[in-house]
Amino acid sequence: MSEFWLISAPGDQENLQALERMNTVTSKSNLSYNTKFSIPDFKVGTLDSLVGLSDELGKLDTFAERDTAREGTGRPGGRGPTDSLLPLAAGRWPCPRARLALSKAVSSLPGVRRGCQQASPALLSPQGPLLRWLKVNFSEAFIAWIHIKALRVFVESVLRYGLPVNFQAVLLQPHKKSSTKRLREVLNSVFRHLDQVAAASILDASVEIPGLQLNNQDYFPYVYFHIDLSLLD
């Protein structure tokens, strides 16, 4: 599947054991492929600033996903997005490229799309300069998008689990669409202790989570973000 779940749980001994239980159950039941997702150390400001940053990152995430998907439809062959995502999960972050990607690549994508409409056959050939440019800039945009996901996990984990910063992020890839419901049940069971109200609300859509303006389908006892690479097919 080209669907990934990026989650995090507190990094204390109890929850690290919970992560191990998750890995054991999902592996034995053939529900998902799981790997630790390494996130660089970021400086933490005030909690108020993190709340504001959380909102801004949500908007930026939507923008980056849309433009990465738009660019992905015209990318040339080669390494797919899944091939690029797993090295990032392992901590092989090209940080200077990621920091510059939005300004150098994403913001210029609409202009590239307009240029494609009037491009000559030579320009659009597999060896042409435009497709070489698209390949490089799609990679930059994709890396930037996943970097934003990592930032969101960091910020939400600090807001949810508190200071000092101590959490473990994990990237899950469900093996098939039919296994996602069972996978969600496993995660909700393993991490139910993190937020009893959230766990109950998942089973009862009428239960509201105090202080949160979220649909129950968007909130779980653990930090969760969805990465849908089918948008790039």
Side-chain angles (χ1 to χ4, degrees):
M1 282 185 66
S2 53
E3 173 182 347
F4 291 83
W5 297 2
L6 184 54
I7 71 168
S8 80
D12 56 54
Q13 189 62 33
E14 177 186 5
N15 286 291
L16 290 179
Q17 290 174 352
L19 285 170
E20 287 301 317
R21 290 199 302 274
M22 177 194 73
N23 289 334
T24 299
V25 173
T26 56
S27 176
K28 286 184 176 180
S29 302
N30 197 31
L31 295 176
S32 63
Y33 169 77
N34 308 340
T35 184
K36 289 183 178 180
F37 191 95
S38 298
I39 296 179
D41 293 330
F42 299 114
K43 293 182 179 180
V44 179
T46 65
L47 291 181
D48 285 344
S49 67
L50 287 181
V51 171
L53 183 59
S54 175
D55 292 338
E56 292 303 316
L57 284 173
K59 298 174 185 176
L60 189 58
D61 188 358
T62 301
F63 172 81
E65 178 179 357
R66 183 178 64 247
D67 277 336
T68 302
R70 181 190 304 161
E71 192 56 40
T73 59
R75 74 183 187 277
R79 285 166 55 85
T82 299
D83 299 322
S84 301
L85 178 56
L86 295 180
L88 295 180
R92 296 193 288 275
W93 286 88
C95 289
R97 295 175 64 197
R99 285 195 301 266
L100 295 174
L102 287 179
S103 60
K104 285 190 174 180
V106 177
S107 63
S108 60
L109 294 180
V112 175
R113 303 291 296 186
R114 288 192 298 271
C116 287
Q117 297 174 0
Q118 299 177 347
S120 66
L123 189 63
L124 292 173
S125 70
Q127 294 77 33
L130 177 58
L131 289 189
R132 290 200 302 268
W133 191 93
L134 286 173
K135 185 175 182 179
V136 170
N137 284 275
F138 168 76
S139 175
E140 295 286 356
F142 178 78
I143 290 170
W145 178 39
I146 301 304
H147 198 200
I148 291 168
K149 291 288 188 185
L151 285 168
R152 295 193 73 188
V153 169
F154 181 88
V155 170
E156 296 303 323
S157 296
V158 173
L159 290 175
R160 185 85 69 93
Y161 309 136
L163 294 172
V165 177
N166 184 25
F167 68 90
Q168 177 62 59
V170 179
L171 186 70
L172 295 83
Q173 183 180 21
H175 285 316
K176 50 188 177 181
K177 190 68 175 179
S178 59
S179 69
T180 56
K181 182 178 179 180
R182 174 57 181 157
L183 179 60
R184 183 69 72 191
E185 291 172 349
V186 169
L187 267 62
N188 291 340
S189 175
V190 169
F191 298 112
R192 182 184 181 90
H193 63 282
L194 293 177
D195 192 331
Q196 295 287 348
V197 174
S201 71
I202 294 167
L203 300 177
D204 184 355
S206 66
V207 175
E208 295 184 358
I209 304 172
L212 285 176
Q213 304 298 319
L214 289 175
N215 183 292
N216 291 341
Q217 295 179 344
D218 299 324
Y219 187 86
F220 302 95
Y222 45 90
V223 170
Y224 163 82
F225 290 101
H226 183 247
I227 303 175
D228 184 6
L229 300 188
S230 66
L231 297 171
L232 309 179
D233 292 339

